[in-house]
Amino acid sequence: MSRATPRLALTPGEPAGIGPDLVVRLACQGNRAELVAVADPALLISRAQRLGLALSIQDFDPTVPPHPTNPGTLRVVPVALSQPCFPGRLDPANAGYVTQTLIQACDGCLDGTFDAMVTAPVHKGVINDAGIPFTGHTELLAERCGAQPVMMLAVPELRVALATTHLPLSEICKAITPKLLTRVIRTLDHDLRTKFGIHKPRILVCGLNPHAGEGGHLGREEIEVIEPVLADLRTQGLDLVGPLPADTAFVPDKLARMDAVLAMYHDQGLPVLKHLGFGRAVNVTLGLPIIRTSVDHGTALDLAGTANADLGSLIAAVEMANEMVASAAPNKEGR
């Protein structure tokens, strides 16, 4: 049975960035979910004091049934910083702390302690400077869960998933294979059903080349890879539209009939979504056995320790996690 109140693990990300500020500010507003920060309690108290916020830190007890977060309170799973942290000053000594918070939150989702995890931004460079190979949240969670994830960003008006993520343009064509495209589309369709409660998702698929290849005159990837994959998946019951030219795929009359858009590469789809809703978009990792949402922005070191960072994306990430937990509950109960 699902819990009446979702229990969400929050990871504040890079301790020198705005993540701790956002977490304590969110806690001071309260939430219908039980928010549990996986972090150094002293860091959170210090940031709250710096922001002039009254925050009560409570030890997290997994044996106590979850209840909504009261304004000004925050439950914490303590993870100690290696070195004192100062807003805006990166320190590679704390890189292990950052990855440990992610691992503990992920493991808590896997064992059922948490219903979902919500992540604030990390700083990839300083983690790698510490000698810890790190390409991002998604890759760490994929390895921890033994899964192959799909990246999707969402605002209320639009969901955009990516066939490829952080690749140079020169490598994208050879990366889009029938095997990859089949896996990504199946994952997108599956998670829209099981984590978003959409009974029969309709997915618009972008072409790779200008004008979707112009019948082969501007590239043959549509003819040789994308169209055959879509045709095969349609025989399996998936509702797929495309491949369509990306420059006309995002017009309102087409999007109004779609549940998600699949872009072939990072900068094909995300500029449209971020133009539509930057600061309130949510990064969702599909294809994991857990629910994970995240903000759509970086660490903003220059804003750390101030109240000037926009809280909108973290609020949206928490609310989407709450909605996904509710949508996923019937699927869990039915297994």
Side-chain angles (χ1 to χ4, degrees), residues 18 30 39 46 53 76-77 84 105 112 145 198 211 218 245 248 263 267 314 321 328 333:
I18 61 173
S46 172
L53 300 174
V76 177
V77 174
C145 295
I198 301 172
H211 300 179
L218 293 175
T248 57
D267 283 14
L314 184 59
E333 292 168 7

Side-chain angles (χ1 to χ4, degrees), residues 100 102-104 106-107 110 139-147:
Q100 188 58 38
L102 298 175
I103 289 169
Q104 289 201 28
C106 178
D107 289 355
L110 288 171
E139 292 79 7
L140 183 148
L141 297 174
E143 181 178 356
R144 198 76 184 170
C145 295

Side-chain angles (χ1 to χ4, degrees), residues 153-327:
L153 266 74
V155 292
E157 307 90 336
L158 177 64
R159 302 181 186 97
V160 176
L162 302 178
T164 62
T165 52
H166 302 119
L167 286 179
L169 283 174
S170 61
E171 297 179 15
I172 289 171
C173 292
K174 59 184 178 183
I176 298 176
T177 63
K179 181 178 179 180
L180 172 93
L181 202 55
T182 298
R183 175 183 65 79
V184 169
I185 294 174
R186 281 181 175 157
T187 298
L188 176 57
D189 176 80
H190 175 272
D191 280 19
L192 288 172
R193 294 172 190 265
T194 61
K195 294 180 178 176
F196 288 85
I198 301 172
H199 177 64
K200 189 173 176 59
R202 194 165 209 216
I203 300 169
L204 187 157
V205 181
C206 294
L208 173 65
N209 297 294
H211 300 179
E214 196 79 77
H217 297 288
L218 293 175
R220 296 191 57 81
E221 286 81 6
E222 287 77 12
I223 294 171
E224 295 175 0
V225 179
I226 302 175
E227 290 175 3
V229 167
L230 300 190
D232 180 55
L233 291 174
R234 288 188 188 107
T235 68
Q236 301 173 37
L238 277 69
D239 190 353
L240 306 171
V241 176
L244 296 182
D247 65 345
T248 57
F250 292 93
V251 297
D253 67 318
K254 287 191 177 74
L255 294 180
R257 302 190 296 273
M258 301 297 155
D259 295 299
V261 175
L262 178 65
M264 291 295 111
Y265 56 94
H266 187 281
D267 283 14
Q268 184 183 62
L270 295 193
V272 179
L273 184 135
K274 291 192 176 186
H275 173 74
L276 184 63
F278 189 74
R280 58 189 180 93
V282 180
N283 187 337
V284 184
T285 306
L286 307 179
L288 300 177
I290 66 173
I291 292 171
R292 179 259 174 164
T293 65
S294 186
V295 297
D296 70 342
H297 56 73
T299 54
L301 296 171
D302 58 322
L303 299 178
T306 76
N308 296 328
D310 191 340
L311 191 57
S313 186
L314 184 59
I315 292 173
V318 166
E319 285 309 302
M320 183 166 288
N322 284 333
E323 292 164 9
M324 291 174 69
V325 169
S327 295

Side-chain angles (χ1 to χ4, degrees), residues 7 34 60-67:
R7 176 175 278 161
E34 180 179 67
F60 170 62
D61 183 352
T63 66
V64 176
H67 52 85

